[in-house]
């Protein structure tokens, strides 16, 4: 199973690089939920494409639950540059910690991020405060508040603020659809003017391909002048 999946992800990576060309810093991250399922093992592939910039970012990640409260994720992201079709962008380690009991309708958790880049670019330290509310049997909401800061060479001063959220509906057959919102405000001590902030929103749909393989597609539309006009995204997740 694992060699087949690795070949699948490599083929997707190569195909996307050929089709989409030069990459910028596209948004491949999602809205993490706080719930940790004991025994969770999964591998994922994600691609994000900005047609205006002809930019593509791609990543693979691996999830490993340590127990019913803690989950580790390792992320490797690549981009196409003038030097390479698949150029290393960053490696990130994440630790997710579920704070609330499994029975809670309002789940909360924390996520700690450590990111390493090359080419003398600064690294990153981040903390997510994650929320998930089961509004009905079929409707779920997620929200996260994020603080982060640069570390290392050429690090920017300040602590940077983001929020993210989504609302999803579960249909028959395990299909989920809904909308999501991503907001970046700038440094906490120097919030940017609205036109200079990044605000993205759009629809998504998640479809099970098999009992363990899921496909999610989405489109994010820019809501401010500083935001990309549109970003198309594709996520694949294989559970074990």
């Amino acid at each position: 199973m694992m060699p087949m999946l690795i070949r699948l992800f490599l083929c997707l990576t190569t195909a996307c690089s050929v089709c989409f060309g030069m990459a910028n810093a596209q948004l491949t991250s999602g809205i993490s939920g706080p719930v940790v399922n004991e025994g969770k093992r999964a591998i994922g592939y994600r691609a994000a494409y900005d047609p205006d910039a002809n930019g593509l970012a791609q990543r693979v990640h691996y999830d490993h639950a340590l127990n019913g409260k803690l989950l580790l994720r390792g992320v490797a992201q690549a981009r196409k540059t003038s030097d390479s079709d698949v150029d290393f962008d960053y490696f990130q380690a994440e630790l997710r910690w579920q704070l609330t009991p499994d029975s809670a309708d309002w789940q909360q958790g924390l996520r700690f991020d450590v990111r390493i880049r090359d080419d003398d670019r600064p690294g990153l330290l981040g903390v997510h405060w994650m929320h998930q509310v089961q509004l009905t049997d079929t409707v779920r909401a997620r929200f996260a508040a994020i603080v982060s800061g640069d570390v290392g060479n050429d690090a920017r001063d300040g602590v940077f603020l983001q929020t993210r959220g989504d609302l999803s509906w579960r249909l028959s057959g395990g299909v989920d659809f809904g909308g999501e919102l991503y907001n970046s405000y700038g440094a906490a001590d120097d919030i940017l003017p609205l036109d200079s902030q990044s605000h993205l929103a759009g629809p998504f749909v998640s479809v099970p391909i098999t009992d363990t393989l899921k496909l999610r597609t989405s489109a994010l539309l820019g809501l401010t002048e500083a935001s990309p006009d549109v970003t198309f995204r594709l996520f694949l997740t294989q559970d074990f």
Side-chain angles (χ1 to χ4, degrees), residues 25 28 39 49 53 69 85 87 98 146 151-152 162 164 173 175 180 182 186 207 237:
T28 58
Y49 174 56
K69 295 294 184 182
D85 287 345
D87 194 7
Q98 179 180 329
I146 305 167
V151 293
Q162 300 179 53
R164 299 176 181 179
V175 175
E180 53 189 352
Y182 295 80
V207 180
T237 304

Side-chain angles (χ1 to χ4, degrees), residues 32-33 69-75 92-99 109-115 124-130 145-148:
S32 296
K69 295 294 184 182
L70 297 172
L71 181 140
L72 285 173
R73 170 176 285 181
V75 180
Q92 180 163 298
E94 302 173 5
L95 176 64
R96 189 180 310 175
W97 178 19
Q98 179 180 329
L99 299 176
L110 295 173
R111 197 185 96 188
F112 305 95
D113 299 346
V114 179
R115 179 178 297 182
L124 176 144
L125 298 176
V127 179
H128 298 229
W129 184 22
M130 305 173 295
I146 305 167
V147 294
S148 63

Side-chain angles (χ1 to χ4, degrees), residues 57-70:
Q58 300 173 87
R59 61 173 260 187
V60 292
H61 66 254
Y62 177 70
D63 292 342
H64 185 102
L66 302 177
N67 51 44
K69 295 294 184 182
L70 297 172

Side-chain angles (χ1 to χ4, degrees), residues 1-13 43 60:
M1 177 65 73
M2 182 65 75
M4 180 186 71
L5 289 171
I6 292 173
R7 288 197 295 270
L8 170 63
F9 293 140
L10 287 175
C11 289
L12 284 168
T13 300
I43 189 170
V60 292

Side-chain angles (χ1 to χ4, degrees), residues 113-219:
D113 299 346
V114 179
R115 179 178 297 182
I116 300 171
R117 298 186 177 100
D118 64 352
D119 296 331
D120 292 325
R121 295 177 296 158
L124 176 144
L125 298 176
V127 179
H128 298 229
W129 184 22
M130 305 173 295
H131 302 262
Q132 178 175 297
V133 183
Q134 197 67 40
L135 299 173
T136 72
D137 289 342
T138 58
V139 180
R140 184 199 69 201
R142 284 179 174 174
F143 173 80
I146 305 167
V147 294
S148 63
D150 290 351
V151 293
N153 296 327
D154 296 323
R156 298 170 296 172
D157 293 331
V159 175
F160 297 89
L161 304 179
Q162 300 179 53
T163 56
R164 299 176 181 179
D166 69 17
L167 187 66
S168 65
W169 288 262
R170 171 61 58 92
L171 305 179
S172 60
V175 175
D176 295 304
F177 82 97
E180 53 189 352
L181 177 66
Y182 295 80
N183 315 105
S184 296
Y185 305 100
D189 60 352
D190 188 19
I191 298 296
L192 295 171
L194 181 60
D195 286 348
S196 299
Q197 297 174 14
S198 176
H199 297 277
L200 304 167
F204 69 85
V205 61
S206 178
V207 180
I209 298 174
T210 69
D211 290 341
T212 58
L213 180 63
K214 183 173 287 189
L215 169 67
R216 175 180 171 125
T217 60
S218 61

Side-chain angles (χ1 to χ4, degrees), residues 34-53:
V35 176
V36 174
N37 296 316
E38 189 165 4
K40 171 79 170 180
R41 306 285 188 275
I43 189 170
Y45 167 83
R46 297 180 180 181
Y49 174 56
D50 178 353
D52 287 338

